[in-house]
Protein backbone atom coordinates (compact mmCIF):
# COMPACT_ATOMS: atom_id res chain seq x y z
CA UNK A 1 0.00 0.00 0.00
CA UNK A 2 2.86 2.37 0.67
CA UNK A 3 3.90 2.17 -2.98
CA UNK A 4 0.44 3.14 -4.20
CA UNK A 5 -0.17 5.94 -6.71
CA UNK A 6 -0.85 8.50 -3.98
CA UNK A 7 2.55 7.94 -2.42
CA UNK A 8 4.38 8.28 -5.69
CA UNK A 9 2.65 11.58 -6.36
CA UNK A 10 3.69 12.84 -2.94
CA UNK A 11 7.31 11.88 -3.52
CA UNK A 12 7.49 13.65 -6.87
CA UNK A 13 6.01 16.79 -5.31
CA UNK A 14 8.55 16.65 -2.47
CA UNK A 15 11.56 16.12 -4.73
CA UNK A 16 12.01 19.79 -5.79
CA UNK A 17 11.63 20.96 -2.19
CA UNK A 18 14.35 18.53 -1.08
CA UNK A 19 16.80 20.05 -3.55
CA UNK A 20 16.52 23.49 -2.01
CA UNK A 21 16.43 26.96 -3.51
CA UNK A 22 20.07 26.88 -4.65
CA UNK A 23 19.60 23.82 -6.87
CA UNK A 24 18.81 25.99 -9.89
CA UNK A 25 22.30 27.50 -9.65
CA UNK A 26 24.17 24.21 -9.21
CA UNK A 27 24.92 23.97 -12.93
CA UNK A 28 26.68 27.34 -12.79
CA UNK A 29 28.89 26.12 -9.95
CA UNK A 30 29.70 22.96 -11.89
CA UNK A 31 30.64 24.98 -14.96
CA UNK A 32 32.95 27.20 -12.93
CA UNK A 33 34.62 24.10 -11.48
CA UNK A 34 34.98 22.63 -14.97
CA UNK A 35 36.58 25.83 -16.24
CA UNK A 36 39.03 25.89 -13.33
CA UNK A 37 40.07 22.31 -14.08
CA UNK A 38 40.45 23.01 -17.79
CA UNK A 39 42.66 26.01 -16.97
CA UNK A 40 44.85 23.81 -14.77
CA UNK A 41 45.32 21.57 -17.80
CA UNK A 42 46.25 24.61 -19.95
CA UNK A 43 43.30 24.14 -22.27
CA UNK A 44 43.63 27.65 -23.65
CA UNK A 45 47.15 27.08 -24.93
CA UNK A 46 46.84 23.43 -25.93
CA UNK A 47 43.28 23.09 -27.22
CA UNK A 48 41.88 26.49 -28.11
CA UNK A 49 44.83 28.14 -29.83
CA UNK A 50 45.37 25.03 -31.93
CA UNK A 51 41.82 25.35 -33.29
CA UNK A 52 41.71 29.17 -33.24
CA UNK A 53 38.84 29.25 -30.73
CA UNK A 54 38.10 31.78 -28.03
CA UNK A 55 38.17 30.89 -24.29
CA UNK A 56 35.01 29.71 -22.55
CA UNK A 57 32.99 32.02 -20.38
CA UNK A 58 32.27 31.03 -16.78
CA UNK A 59 28.79 29.84 -17.76
CA UNK A 60 29.36 28.63 -21.32
CA UNK A 61 27.76 25.19 -20.96
CA UNK A 62 25.30 26.21 -18.22
CA UNK A 63 23.14 28.31 -20.54
CA UNK A 64 21.88 27.05 -23.93
CA UNK A 65 22.87 29.96 -26.17
CA UNK A 66 24.07 28.32 -29.41
CA UNK A 67 23.64 24.54 -29.24
CA UNK A 68 25.60 23.83 -32.42
CA UNK A 69 28.60 25.88 -31.30
CA UNK A 70 28.41 24.48 -27.77
CA UNK A 71 28.26 20.91 -29.06
CA UNK A 72 31.30 21.47 -31.26
CA UNK A 73 33.21 23.02 -28.34
CA UNK A 74 32.25 20.05 -26.16
CA UNK A 75 33.47 17.61 -28.84
CA UNK A 76 36.69 19.55 -29.31
CA UNK A 77 37.39 19.51 -25.58
CA UNK A 78 36.43 15.84 -25.26
CA UNK A 79 38.79 14.90 -28.10
CA UNK A 80 41.59 16.96 -26.58
CA UNK A 81 41.08 15.43 -23.12
CA UNK A 82 41.04 11.90 -24.55
CA UNK A 83 44.27 12.62 -26.44
CA UNK A 84 45.79 14.20 -23.33
CA UNK A 85 44.99 11.00 -21.44
CA UNK A 86 47.17 9.10 -23.88
CA UNK A 87 44.61 7.70 -26.31
CA UNK A 88 44.99 9.02 -29.85
CA UNK A 89 41.67 10.49 -30.92
CA UNK A 90 40.83 12.25 -34.16
CA UNK A 91 39.54 15.77 -33.74
CA UNK A 92 35.88 15.93 -34.87
CA UNK A 93 34.99 18.43 -37.56
CA UNK A 94 32.21 20.98 -37.18
CA UNK A 95 29.93 19.32 -39.74
CA UNK A 96 30.43 15.69 -38.67
CA UNK A 97 27.33 13.71 -37.74
CA UNK A 98 26.67 14.48 -34.05
CA UNK A 99 25.50 10.93 -33.33
CA UNK A 100 28.69 9.48 -34.82
CA UNK A 101 30.87 11.90 -32.88
CA UNK A 102 29.20 11.12 -29.56
CA UNK A 103 29.33 7.41 -30.33
CA UNK A 104 33.10 7.68 -30.99
CA UNK A 105 33.68 9.65 -27.80
CA UNK A 106 31.71 7.19 -25.69
CA UNK A 107 33.40 4.22 -27.32
CA UNK A 108 36.82 5.67 -26.58
CA UNK A 109 35.87 6.43 -22.99
CA UNK A 110 34.63 2.88 -22.49
CA UNK A 111 38.02 1.61 -23.65
CA UNK A 112 39.66 3.36 -20.70
Amino acid sequence: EEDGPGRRGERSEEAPAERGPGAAFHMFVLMEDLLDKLKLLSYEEEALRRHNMRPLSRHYFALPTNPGEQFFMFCTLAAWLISKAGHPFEQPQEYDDPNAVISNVLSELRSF
Side-chain angles (χ1 to χ4, degrees), residues 68-96:
E69 178 186 304
Q70 289 171 312
F71 179 75
F72 181 65
M73 178 63 81
F74 169 78
C75 294
T76 299
L77 291 173
W80 172 71
L81 288 169
I82 291 169
S83 296
K84 191 152 181 81
H87 290 243
F89 192 82
E90 187 177 328
Q91 173 65 39
Q93 301 302 311
E94 193 167 0
Y95 297 106
D96 287 350

Side-chain angles (χ1 to χ4, degrees), residues 40-78:
L40 288 172
L41 293 170
S42 303
Y43 91 106
E44 291 170 326
E45 293 82 21
E46 294 182 24
L48 298 184
R49 284 193 186 149
R50 181 174 169 213
H51 300 289
N52 199 26
M53 301 172 108
R54 61 182 191 266
L56 301 176
S57 68
R58 292 183 320 140
H59 303 128
Y60 185 77
F61 290 117
L63 299 171
T65 54
N66 184 343
E69 178 186 304
Q70 289 171 312
F71 179 75
F72 181 65
M73 178 63 81
F74 169 78
C75 294
T76 299
L77 291 173

